[in-house]
């Protein structure tokens, strides 16, 4: 287990944490208050063109025909870009760390899977001329049945949202359709409990609403390279994603980040950079692509909606003896980062409480909604809200003060977590005591004397017998990481592509750009 070595990192951070009440100045404060901070859009390049996109008016539809002939003749238009122009028109961010299959096109080709999905891009001399050209593009749709509810999406016969995942659930390790947590026997614990409480919690999608909308500027540089000014929060993720989509080595690009005008997780996805760079490649001119406010609010990726069912068994003395959780993350039409949010959610169960029997099933579900992404604590924030609401309701059910109820069930040092790791450096009891003191909330003396360092371990450190479940049938492993080896060029047709069978296993090779990969999901290094 990794722990901070204070003797080694003593000069790196001051550990006294006494900042409240002090006038500590942020490095970027002066630029912000004087209006001199530089954002990506402050770069005004000579001859800069502007890119805008046609977006789907349907949540789910087949694209019968796309007529761009009039747009190509419109004043000021330098280039019309379609899906066939994108070298590798399929991507998902986490495939860079071998986690997930490429499932999202930069520009839709055969189908659209959410309202607002990009279909055609227009590069023109001015934003107005680009918008006027967009208005002349005709898209013939064949509407298809859509599904917007996570549980409806999992029912037999539900419309298939994303053919990469035909069951409408993300597939983990080529086998599992969800993340599981099993610790003890939750059904037995619920049967033995004095009270059982089951509740449903529903969170809505949340738009980040940054002051600065998503955007980037790409410009030709010397030696066949391109410089990219971007508002991204994930500079190297964006650089490698663009290298993959555009089928070039990553040293082709010089990405310049800088001040982000509000992100909160919503600028982790690589939304504008690939098309801006492709526009610069096709025109030989700088290209700016920035979402308008309406686009940002309606089509920019939100925090995903989450639905959580919690069933708890509690004794009259306040001990929670069983917790059963079933949760669904609405990924929208494509994966983005929702599959990772599910991993984080499962890792957080059952909250900061010692519960001897825990059962969790967490699903990443595809619907015909706007693809979801990261937002401050995603995967944990919503389930924490649900768990703490549940704690208040349980306390009321057994007639115990909600602060004292939390202290009764809180982790203590030496306890066994549901993930079979010993709890260390716990402090929930002390946090509750301080919160009660600040709020002038009356705690009984016995609870004021309790400590996270006492009464843990012992019987609370035992891993309880856990019933084994039947193993899921294994299927042939699929290639979950797009190779960086570039095959010889072949004609690209704007028709559904047939996927060849996976190649036979071969020794691992470094990607074309030679970067070492670290997986935060699996904690391993990859070349």
């Amino acid at each position: 287990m990794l722990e901070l070595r204070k003797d080694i990192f003593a000069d790196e951070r001051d550990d006294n944490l006494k900042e409240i009440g002090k006038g500590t100045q942020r490095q970027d404060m002066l630029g912000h208050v004087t209006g001199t901070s530089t954002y990506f859009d402050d770069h005004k390049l000579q001859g800069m063109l502007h890119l805008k996109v046609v977006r789907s008016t349907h949540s789910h539809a087949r694209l019968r025909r796309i007529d761009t002939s009039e747009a190509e003749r419109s004043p000021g238009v330098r280039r019309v870009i379609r899906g066939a122009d994108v070298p590798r028109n399929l991507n998902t961010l986490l495939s860079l760390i071998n986690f997930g299959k490429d499932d999202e096109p930069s520009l839709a080709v055969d189908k659209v899977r959410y309202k607002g999905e990009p279909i055609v891009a227009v590069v023109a001399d001015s934003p107005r001329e680009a918008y006027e050209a967009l208005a002349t593009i005709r898209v013939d749709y064949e509407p298809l049945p859509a599904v917007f509810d996570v549980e409806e999406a999992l029912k037999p016969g539900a419309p298939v949202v994303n053919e990469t995942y035909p069951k409408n659930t993300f597939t983990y390790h080529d086998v599992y359709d969800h993340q599981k947590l099993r610790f003890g026997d939750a059904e037995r614990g619920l049967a033995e409990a004095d009270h059982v409480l089951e509740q449903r919690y529903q969170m809505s999608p949340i738009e980040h609403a940054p002051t600065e909308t998503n955007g980037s500027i790409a410009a030709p540089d010397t030696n066949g390279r391109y410089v990219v000014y971007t508002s991204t929060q994930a500079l190297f993720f964006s650089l490698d994603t663009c290298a993959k989509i555009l089928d070039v080595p990553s040293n082709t690009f010089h990405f310049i980040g800088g001040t982000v005008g509000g992100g909160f997780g919503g600028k982790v996805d690589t939304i504008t950079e690939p098309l801006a760079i492709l526009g610069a490649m096709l025109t030989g001119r700088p290209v700016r692509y920035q979402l308008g406010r309406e686009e940002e609010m309606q089509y920019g990726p939100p925090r995903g909606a989450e639905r959580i069912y919690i069933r708890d068994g509690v004794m009259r003395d306040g001990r929670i003896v069983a917790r059963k959780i079933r949760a669904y993350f609405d990924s929208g039409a494509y994966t983005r980062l929702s599959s990772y949010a599910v991993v984080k959610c499962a890792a957080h169960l059952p909250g900061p409480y010692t519960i001897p029997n825990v059962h969790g099933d967490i699903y990443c579900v595809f619907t015909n909604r706007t693809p979801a992404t990261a937002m401050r604590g995603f995967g944990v924030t919503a389930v924490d809200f649900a768990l703490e609401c549940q704690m208040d309701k349980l306390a009321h059910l057994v007639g115990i003060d909600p602060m004292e109820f939390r202290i009764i069930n809180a982790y203590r040092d030496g306890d066994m977590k549901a993930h079979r790791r010993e709890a260390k450096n716990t402090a929930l009891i002390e946090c509750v005591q301080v919160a009660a003191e600040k709020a002038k909330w009356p705690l009984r003396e016995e609870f004021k004397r309790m400590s996270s360092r006492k009464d843990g371990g012992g019987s609370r450190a035992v891993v309880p017998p856990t019933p084994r479940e039947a193993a899921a049938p294994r299927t042939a492993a699929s290639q979950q990481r797009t190779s960086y080896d570039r095959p010889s060029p072949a004609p690209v047709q704007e028709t559904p592509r047939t996927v060849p069978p996976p190649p036979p296993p071969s020794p691992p090779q470094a990607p074309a750009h030679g970067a070492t990969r670290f997986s935060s999901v699996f904690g391993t290094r990859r070349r």
Side-chain angles (χ1 to χ4, degrees), residues 314-354:
V314 62
M315 307 306 287
R316 293 186 185 92
D317 62 5
R319 291 178 297 114
I320 304 173
V321 294
R323 171 161 285 173
K324 195 168 184 179
I325 295 180
R326 188 172 81 258
Y328 305 92
F329 279 67
D330 191 340
S331 181
Y334 300 109
T335 306
R336 299 280 176 95
L337 289 166
S338 294
S339 57
Y340 179 44
V342 166
V343 174
K344 292 172 64 182
C345 178
H348 188 63
L349 301 180
Y353 304 107
T354 297

Side-chain angles (χ1 to χ4, degrees), residues 51-54 79-81 107 119-123 134 275:
L51 186 147
K52 301 296 178 183
V53 299
V54 172
R79 182 76 190 216
V80 174
I81 303 174
L107 293 171
I119 302 173
V120 178
V122 170
V123 181
L134 292 183
L275 291 180

Side-chain angles (χ1 to χ4, degrees), residues 224-237:
R225 302 182 75 220
Y226 293 84
V227 60
V228 183
Y229 301 97
T230 171
S231 64
T232 183
Q233 291 177 258
L235 201 68
F236 290 98
F237 254 145

Side-chain angles (χ1 to χ4, degrees), residues 144-462:
L144 298 171
V147 61
F148 303 102
D149 182 87
V150 285
E151 293 184 83
E152 292 295 324
L154 298 183
K155 292 181 178 178
V160 175
V161 175
N162 184 339
E163 287 76 9
T164 305
Y165 299 101
K167 295 182 180 180
N168 288 343
T169 57
F170 183 84
T171 305
Y172 293 88
H173 310 294
D174 297 300
V175 178
Y176 307 105
D177 63 358
H178 67 291
Q179 288 282 302
K180 289 183 178 181
L181 176 62
R182 300 290 186 267
F183 184 73
D185 190 339
E187 290 297 339
R188 179 180 57 80
L190 289 168
E192 295 174 354
D194 293 327
H195 302 280
V196 174
L197 176 67
E198 182 170 7
Q199 296 288 290
R200 173 185 186 270
Y201 301 91
Q202 176 70 52
M203 269 55 74
S204 299
I206 301 174
E207 164 58 30
H208 305 77
T211 304
E212 172 200 48
T213 59
N214 274 275
S216 58
I217 296 172
D221 203 354
T222 57
N223 299 325
R225 302 182 75 220
Y226 293 84
V227 60
V228 183
Y229 301 97
T230 171
S231 64
T232 183
Q233 291 177 258
L235 201 68
F236 290 98
F237 254 145
S238 294
L239 188 152
D240 280 351
T241 296
C242 289
K244 178 174 136 184
I245 292 173
L246 300 173
D247 199 19
V248 295
S250 58
N251 62 6
T252 304
F253 305 130
H254 176 198
F255 268 56
I256 300 174
T259 308
V260 177
F264 327 113
K267 288 177 179 172
V268 169
D269 294 338
T270 306
I271 297 176
T272 62
E273 293 89 348
L275 291 180
I277 296 171
L278 182 58
M281 287 178 166
L282 295 175
T283 63
R285 301 259 298 272
V287 173
R288 172 183 177 270
Y289 176 23
Q290 184 173 21
L291 301 187
R293 178 57 58 187
E294 181 179 351
E295 287 180 299
E296 180 72 40
M297 296 295 289
Q298 293 191 0
Y299 313 129
R303 178 199 290 276
E306 300 169 42
R307 182 173 301 165
I308 302 167
Y309 294 91
I310 305 178
R311 190 172 183 223
D312 282 339
V314 62
M315 307 306 287
R316 293 186 185 92
D317 62 5
R319 291 178 297 114
I320 304 173
V321 294
R323 171 161 285 173
K324 195 168 184 179
I325 295 180
R326 188 172 81 258
Y328 305 92
F329 279 67
D330 191 340
S331 181
Y334 300 109
T335 306
R336 299 280 176 95
L337 289 166
S338 294
S339 57
Y340 179 44
V342 166
V343 174
K344 292 172 64 182
C345 178
H348 188 63
L349 301 180
Y353 304 107
T354 297
I355 302 175
N357 303 287
V358 182
H359 181 289
D361 290 313
I362 320 296
Y363 295 82
C364 174
V365 184
F366 297 100
T367 66
N368 293 109
R369 291 177 178 268
T370 302
T373 192
M375 187 178 189
R376 291 293 177 252
F378 73 121
V380 174
T381 310
V383 74
D384 257 349
F385 168 79
L387 290 175
E388 294 309 315
C389 287
Q390 186 83 352
M391 293 297 285
D392 283 343
K393 293 175 182 179
L394 288 170
H396 179 75
L397 178 65
V398 295
I400 296 177
D401 178 275
M403 293 283 207
E404 296 178 355
F405 183 75
R406 285 169 169 81
I407 291 176
I408 291 171
N409 291 284
Y411 278 142
R412 289 159 171 79
D413 286 358
D415 286 359
M416 181 56 60
K417 296 182 178 182
H419 295 276
R420 294 166 175 79
R421 296 289 186 272
E422 181 184 343
K424 297 181 179 179
N425 302 316
T426 59
L428 177 58
I429 292 175
E430 287 74 17
C431 288
V432 172
Q433 290 167 342
V434 171
E437 178 186 356
K438 298 295 184 183
K440 295 182 172 50
W441 188 282
L443 289 180
R444 286 179 286 174
E445 286 300 319
E446 61 184 286
F447 288 93
K448 291 180 180 179
R449 293 193 299 268
M450 288 184 180
S451 168
S452 296
R453 298 185 178 185
K454 296 189 300 183
D455 303 321
S459 61
R460 296 164 63 106
V462 175

Side-chain angles (χ1 to χ4, degrees), residues 61-80:
R62 186 168 286 108
L63 298 176
R64 289 172 172 165
R65 182 170 177 270
I66 304 172
D67 183 2
T68 62
S69 56
E70 189 173 347
E72 291 166 357
R73 298 190 301 266
S74 295
V77 171
R78 300 294 175 173
R79 182 76 190 216
V80 174

